[in-house]
């Protein structure tokens, strides 16, 4: 099989027409000694994909092929690659490079590298000027550190969304002590949130789903939640005052969000960690809102390679899988999926399939 | 010596005339089995006193005698008191009661007790309806848990401000790991901040003072700072990007505060802890501001009894003392001191003295 010089994928030309996808060829970055070429078999549709192509996060490098919840086959590995074997089933997530040498990179904080970070799509390589293109395509070319072997027990289509949504939920859980004896809340039952519930429970924490209505209660319990809080109900926070050790805020929007009520549920020095990046202007925070229980507010960005491998192994050991709806990749399937994502009409993730048919 | 039924002190009648103090008698709460009567010898003037009497923190129970950095003599102890001996030199800080039985109280988090909290001044006792009055007065009557023996090595006038300002700086330092190998910043070189520098250094951290101009640099170095950052200077944050483990924000105002630049100096998962309670409307925080280094933002409220004793012992062991300007208590001295506090014209704390002369 000849190695690819180019990939073929579905690009969007800008926010004006962000549901119009165009099948095109585009150049891959020059193949490096540590690179792995991945022939893609499936890709989740992440909320980031929608924020990016719709312009909600600001200007981007268009035309752009998004997608960063990639599962595929390693068809070529560079001469210095040691972490991945040719032929292995692998995943690629939302980040595809960091400097690898700084204090953060050497400390499992490579997703916070202040020197250089490349997103799987939309980032420009400094040397070649090529803009990285994501997984709504035939191939990605990625440094081995950002390519992850997938345990055999995990199904391709169900594991794909773990590569971004799953890790985004998993990293702040383990970094902030989710485990036995801890009470953990997950706000927002979407792609990230449904993994949050699953993983918090798998890690041994008392796990609560926090959503607006009761519409997703049955799902939450099936995902492993021990309890459910519906914030549309009067006095919802009262039974939980000063009791949560950790809440992961996966909400995709901060509109109408009464943060002080959520924070009143935190135990002293509890942690409120946001993983969503709402498009709105942010929230006003006064020290007065934080002082009554000394709560800490933070945010979390993806997770390290070490955490990715740990999460995949946990999922394999406990038989965890994403709840996905499969959609065949193509102009129509993408348009439909993105429109439904915009409305929040998915439980809880789309996975694009049928790559072989479209890309050969 | 007869036990006091009343105390005598200097009250303010409301925010309209908050620099006018009136010498009056007022009732003490009924003496309880665990109470200690303290004959006051000195009291620091805290920023809280000014926020309170000037109305900056909203409605208060006037007329009010403020002051919660109290040093005096225990002249009477209740029949069940075990922590304090009659005749001992003691201190009283900003809080004077909590439930004592809840999870927080039993966990050294009594300053976060969600059941009941009494401030040393301005809080109403539920049983008697009496409003607590502070230390610009002859006596306070306080539950033993909130009365602290003062080590002999510490001077009355220099230790007084440690009872609130000192502890407010000390607690978040020890709770957030200030010590050898850590880089700690103290923003705002006032009453709390000057203790912050002193204690961060005494705890073994690499300590940086962060202030607007260079005006206080010599003082900061004398207090123990290893370095000084002047935020009026171009590019002040650049040499420190992603390096601070902990910054204690002691600033008294959030006006014109570019939080994102401060946060850019934090190491991954570093902590930004505010101890001031500015009167302004708060700051807008977006998850985007927190995500590049996964920083945690929090606030801290005073400190536990255990921490108070630990701080006083550390000060005694290392010969640390507050930098104070002594002012004789009285209508004139108070007016002058409060006016100067409003302008930030004090290095770094006033201590009221001459109690014997005024109250006998």
């Amino acid at each position: 099989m000849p190695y690819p010089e180019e990939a073929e994928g579905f690009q969007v030309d800008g926010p004006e027409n962000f549901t119009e996808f165009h099948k095109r060829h585009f150049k891959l970055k020059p193949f490096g000694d540590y690179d792995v070429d991945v022939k893609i078999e499936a890709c989740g549709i992440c909320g980031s994909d929608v924020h990016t192509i719709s312009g909600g996060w600001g200007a981007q490098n268009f035309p752009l092929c998004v997608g960063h919840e990639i599962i595929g086959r390693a068809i070529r590995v560079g001469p210095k690659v040691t972490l991945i074997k040719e032929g292995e089933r692998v995943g690629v997530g939302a980040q595809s490079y960091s400097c690898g040498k700084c204090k953060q990179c050497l400390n499992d904080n490579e997703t916070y590298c202040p020197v250089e970070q490349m997103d799987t799509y939309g980032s420009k390589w400094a040397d070649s000027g090529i803009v990285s293109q994501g997984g709504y395509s035939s191939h990605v070319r990625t440094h081995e550190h950002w390519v992850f072997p997938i345990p055999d027990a995990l199904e391709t289509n169900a594991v794909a969304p773990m590569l971004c949504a799953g890790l985004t939920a998993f990293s702040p859980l383990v970094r902030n002590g989710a485990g036995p004896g801890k009470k953990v809340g997950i706000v927002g039952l979407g792609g990230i949130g449904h993994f949050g519930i699953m993983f918090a429970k798998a890690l041994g924490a008392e796990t609560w789903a926090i959503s607006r209505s009761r519409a997703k209660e049955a799902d939450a319990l099936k995902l492993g939640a021990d309890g459910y809080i519906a914030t549309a109900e009067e006095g919802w926070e009262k039974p939980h005052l000063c009791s949560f050790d950790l809440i992961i805020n996966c909400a995709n929007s901060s509109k109408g969000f009464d943060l002080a009520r959520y924070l009143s549920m935190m135990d002293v020095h509890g942690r409120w960690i946001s993983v969503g990046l709402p498009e709105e202007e942010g929230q006003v925070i006064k020290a007065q809102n934080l002082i009554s229980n000394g709560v800490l507010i933070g945010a979390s960005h993806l997770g390290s390679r070490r955490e990715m491998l740990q999460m995949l192994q946990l999922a394999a050991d406990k038989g965890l899988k994403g709840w996905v709806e499969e959609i065949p990749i193509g102009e129509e399937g993408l348009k439909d999926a993105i429109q439904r994502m915009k409305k929040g009409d998915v439980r809880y993730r789309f996975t694009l399939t049928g790559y072989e048919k479209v890309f050969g």
Side-chain angles (χ1 to χ4, degrees), chain A:
Chain A
M1 186 164 51
Y3 296 135
E5 289 294 306
E6 298 188 317
E8 191 180 14
F10 292 90
Q11 290 186 319
V12 163
D13 287 335
E16 318 74 43
N17 294 303
F18 70 90
T19 60
E20 302 299 325
F21 288 82
H22 308 279
K23 194 176 178 200
R24 294 188 187 130
H25 286 86
F26 41 77
K27 257 192 159 167
L28 293 169
K29 73 184 273 292
F31 192 79
D33 286 350
Y34 291 96
D35 281 345
V36 177
D37 278 347
V38 178
K39 183 169 190 298
I40 302 176
E41 296 173 1
C43 183
I45 298 186
C46 181
S48 308
D49 300 353
V50 184
H51 287 298
T52 299
I53 59 181
S54 68
W57 284 348
Q60 307 287 339
N61 287 310
F62 289 104
L64 187 61
C65 171
V66 296
H68 59 208
E69 298 182 332
I70 298 168
I71 304 289
R73 197 62 62 176
I75 58 168
R76 178 189 186 191
V77 303
K80 295 193 175 161
V81 166
T82 62
L83 303 175
I84 302 294
K85 289 184 202 58
E86 201 183 301
E88 224 174 353
R89 189 171 58 142
V90 297
V92 172
Q95 191 173 339
S96 283
Y97 196 67
S98 72
C99 87
K101 293 169 203 143
C102 72
K103 172 181 167 190
Q104 306 308 343
C105 285
L106 298 175
N107 256 324
D108 286 323
N109 286 327
E110 63 267 39
T111 60
Y112 302 96
C113 171
V115 181
E116 187 183 4
Q117 286 191 36
M118 288 289 293
D119 295 326
T120 295
Y121 58 76
S123 290
K124 195 177 276 188
W125 289 99
D127 46 4
S128 62
I130 289 175
V131 172
S132 59
Q133 305 286 323
Y136 300 1
S137 71
S138 62
H139 300 84
V140 283
R141 175 168 290 170
T142 311
H143 186 285
E144 62 168 345
H145 183 87
W146 306 92
V147 181
F148 314 99
I150 304 295
D152 289 342
L154 300 172
E155 250 176 74
T156 292
N157 296 343
V159 71
M162 282 192 199
L163 275 287
C164 176
L167 185 64
T168 296
F170 185 76
S171 174
L173 285 169
V174 294
R175 288 184 182 218
N176 294 288
K182 302 287 181 174
K183 183 172 175 181
V184 173
I186 304 291
V187 174
L189 196 38
I192 302 173
H194 96 292
F195 282 121
I197 293 171
M198 208 182 282
F199 291 140
K201 186 63 183 178
L203 290 165
E206 179 188 332
T207 303
W208 288 74
I210 305 172
S211 186
R212 237 193 88 69
S213 74
R214 297 251 160 215
K216 295 177 178 171
E217 184 167 15
D219 285 356
L221 299 178
K222 219 187 277 181
L223 284 161
D226 297 293
Y228 192 92
I229 298 172
T231 63
E233 295 170 5
E234 185 101 8
W236 55 272
E237 78 280 24
K238 296 285 184 253
H240 301 279
L241 291 180
C242 211
S243 71
F244 277 94
D245 296 288
L246 171 64
I247 294 183
I248 308 290
N249 172 27
C250 309
N252 206 10
S253 163
S254 54
K255 268 185 200 145
F257 207 82
D258 186 352
L259 184 60
R261 291 179 78 180
Y262 288 86
L263 296 184
S264 73
M265 297 199 298
M266 307 303 301
D267 198 359
V268 170
H269 305 322
R271 301 192 188 187
W272 169 270
I273 309 290
S274 291
V275 297
L277 287 176
E279 298 178 1
E280 296 88 16
E281 266 315 299
Q283 298 210 283
V284 175
I285 295 180
K286 298 186 69 165
Q288 279 84 340
N289 300 148
L290 308 179
I291 210 166
S292 68
N293 48 7
V295 67
L296 294 157
I297 291 185
S300 174
H301 184 218
L302 305 175
S304 67
R305 177 181 179 86
R306 197 178 50 74
E307 287 161 347
M308 180 76 90
L309 301 177
Q310 188 187 343
M311 172 192 72
L312 293 170
Q313 196 54 54
L314 180 73
D317 292 346
K318 302 228 170 189
L320 307 176
K321 47 180 162 181
W323 289 19
V324 301
E325 183 172 334
E326 298 176 11
I327 293 223
I329 191 167
E331 288 87 351
E332 254 178 86
L334 285 167
K335 182 179 194 134
D336 183 41
I338 298 293
Q339 283 172 339
R340 286 182 53 198
M341 286 284 285
K342 257 298 205 198
K343 290 185 290 186
D345 173 24
V346 54
R347 291 191 179 182
Y348 286 90
R349 207 59 150 184
F350 292 115
T351 295
L352 298 165
T353 60
Y355 277 65
E356 185 70 32
K357 209 161 131 191
V358 171
F359 299 119

